[in-house]
Amino acid sequence: HGAMDYLNTALFGVNRTRKLTTQDVFQILLRSFHAAHCLIIEQDGMLTTLTAAVVLPTADNKFHFCVCNVGDSLAYVYSKGNVREVTEGSHDITANRDMRDALGALGPVDGLNPELSNLTCSITEVFPGDIVFLTSDGISDNFDPVVGKFCVPKKPERSMSQKLTGSNFRGRSKSAASDLADALPTVEGYQRHELTLLRIEDILNHDWGSNTVLNSVGGRVVDASELCHRMLDFCQRLTTAKRKILEDPELYPETETDMQHDQKMRRRKVCEKLALVPGKLDHATIAAFQVRDRTEELQHYTGDRTEVIGRHTPGLTHAAPHASTEDLTMRDSPPDSSDEITPTASISLDSTPLASGASSLAATPTHTPLNSGMSN
């Protein structure tokens, strides 16, 4: 909340004699990252990636999407059926990256300081009707063709000495995961990135049997809320098999003696099963906002704090337009709900409109208890 609180105050909590420029916005975004890191240190928190963005009205009735990110939480634009990533500069799209490495993070990486090696500021022009959205890696990585088990990353060429060394192990039996990898096509890093974007486009442009009510008409998504639901629904479905494996009661011994006896065997068994099925189980947060001119709509708006949808600051007469956001992490179904094979997504973050007509939203994979009704 450190970044959002700072953004709320700095962007519309101050009376200005001139309009904000993109340079002003990036200075504010970077300072919000500093505020977030300081709050983590103050609260003895853990590491987190962070992406924060502002949609800013600029000259000649244009809009610009200003993004600051660190780690592997990314930003995209959905425009006229096409998806493009705005944060490409924060990671090498030509390389097959290790998805276990976020590349950067806020928080005490070395005990006090953050890891800012891939801290990136990005900007792109957007148009009315476009939908901008931010995702944690628990969303974006599930659209990766390697994670989806459609292909495998191409391995670099080995030297002759490495080939000779590897020949000593030909007698070992291969695992089922290795057999599966041998049967799949290989992709270069840049192909992997392109296929990820194409898959997101496919989900957003067509309704492939989603169980979301908003998708009942099919076709392209029409607003930010439907985009969030459709992408979350895809991730839920893709990771169903992995969750079922982890929910198997046989994996959890009843006594401590049994646990010590076969813990390694059970762990190996789980890892082998998980390697065979698609999907990545990780915190899944998405925030989306549809671009449009809100100058008249916000002319009497005086600002608000970030609140859960449905609750507004006392005395505020003009309801704040908000971006659609969802959080899918570690949420159990209520006791009286019907049985579901996937957790139910819930509203997690309000985007607050700015006095200048801009809107801000931020996505960061941190978790708060279910009864708080709110997650970063």
Side-chain angles (χ1 to χ4, degrees), residues 24 32 38 55 61 87 89 92 116 128 183 223:
D24 295 331
S32 76
C38 290
V55 177
N61 296 319
T87 47
D92 186 359
L116 304 178
D223 56 35

Side-chain angles (χ1 to χ4, degrees), residues 50-364:
L50 176 65
T51 298
V54 172
V55 177
L56 182 70
T58 51
D60 302 323
N61 296 319
K62 294 182 178 180
F63 296 88
H64 283 82
F65 186 38
C66 305
V67 184
C68 187
N69 79 303
V70 64
D72 52 6
S73 292
L74 307 176
Y76 301 87
V77 176
Y78 179 60
S79 178
K80 297 180 179 179
N82 299 311
V83 173
R84 68 181 187 271
E85 184 192 340
V86 183
T87 47
E88 288 184 353
S90 65
H91 57 104
D92 186 359
I93 64 173
T94 65
N96 277 304
R97 70 182 182 90
D98 183 354
M99 290 190 172
R100 296 169 295 182
D101 183 4
L103 303 177
L106 299 181
V109 175
D110 63 357
L112 179 63
N113 300 304
E115 172 55 69
L116 304 178
S117 59
N118 81 325
L119 175 66
T120 308
C121 292
S122 312
I123 186 170
T124 186
E125 185 177 359
V126 291
F127 302 91
D130 291 352
I131 302 176
V132 298
F133 58 102
L134 316 179
T135 70
S136 66
D137 58 313
I139 295 287
S140 57
D141 284 355
N142 275 304
F143 290 86
D144 186 289
V146 173
V147 175
K149 301 298 181 186
F150 293 109
C151 54
V152 293
K154 186 176 181 179
K155 296 180 180 179
E157 291 292 332
R158 296 187 300 172
S159 65
M160 183 58 67
S161 60
Q162 289 175 317
K163 291 180 180 179
L164 291 174
T165 303
S167 65
N168 296 330
F169 299 93
R170 287 179 181 172
R172 293 187 178 181
S173 60
K174 297 174 66 176
S175 66
S178 298
D179 291 336
L180 176 63
D182 290 342
L184 295 174
T186 60
V187 289
E188 300 278 3
Y190 74 93
Q191 295 172 316
R192 189 172 172 180
H193 182 260
E194 291 175 355
L195 289 169
T196 298
L197 296 180
L198 287 173
R199 195 167 201 198
I200 296 176
E201 285 181 9
D202 190 39
I203 295 300
L204 299 184
N205 290 333
H206 307 91
D207 177 17
W208 301 115
S210 171
N211 59 10
T212 305
V213 175
L214 290 174
N215 292 339
S216 58
V217 296
R220 291 183 184 178
V221 297
V222 296
D223 56 35
S225 179
E226 185 179 358
L227 182 144
C228 289
H229 278 85
R230 200 175 287 193
M231 291 190 68
L232 277 173
D233 182 76
F234 173 83
C235 294
Q236 286 178 330
R237 289 169 176 263
L238 186 69
T239 56
T240 296
K242 267 189 164 60
R243 287 196 302 276
K244 283 189 171 294
I245 291 173
L246 294 175
E247 292 167 0
D248 185 355
E250 294 184 1
L251 297 178
Y252 306 98
E254 296 182 0
T255 65
E256 186 175 347
T257 304
D258 293 338
M259 182 179 296
Q260 294 175 350
H261 177 69
D262 58 0
Q263 184 178 17
K264 290 184 177 179
M265 182 185 69
R266 291 174 185 271
R267 183 178 299 174
R268 190 185 309 115
K269 181 180 178 182
V270 171
C271 290
E272 289 176 353
K273 287 185 175 181
L274 291 176
L276 293 173
V277 296
K280 174 181 177 179
L281 292 175
D282 204 345
H283 183 107
T285 298
I286 180 169
F289 175 81
Q290 190 161 28
V291 179
R292 73 173 187 264
D293 186 356
R294 292 182 166 177
T295 305
E296 293 185 8
E297 184 179 352
L298 300 177
Q299 62 180 342
H300 300 301
Y301 186 74
T302 57
D304 190 17
R305 303 293 289 176
T306 303
E307 293 289 348
V308 178
I309 293 175
R311 288 164 43 203
H312 302 287
T313 302
L316 183 65
T317 58
H318 185 83
H322 54 265
S324 300
T325 58
E326 307 286 352
D327 183 13
L328 183 60
T329 306
M330 300 298 292
R331 294 188 178 274
D332 298 323
S333 300
D336 57 346
S337 66
S338 59
D339 292 334
E340 296 180 343
I341 60 173
T342 57
T344 302
S346 60
I347 297 299
S348 63
L349 172 70
D350 243 353
S351 167
T352 310
L354 313 181
S356 61
S359 295
S360 68
L361 58 159
T364 175

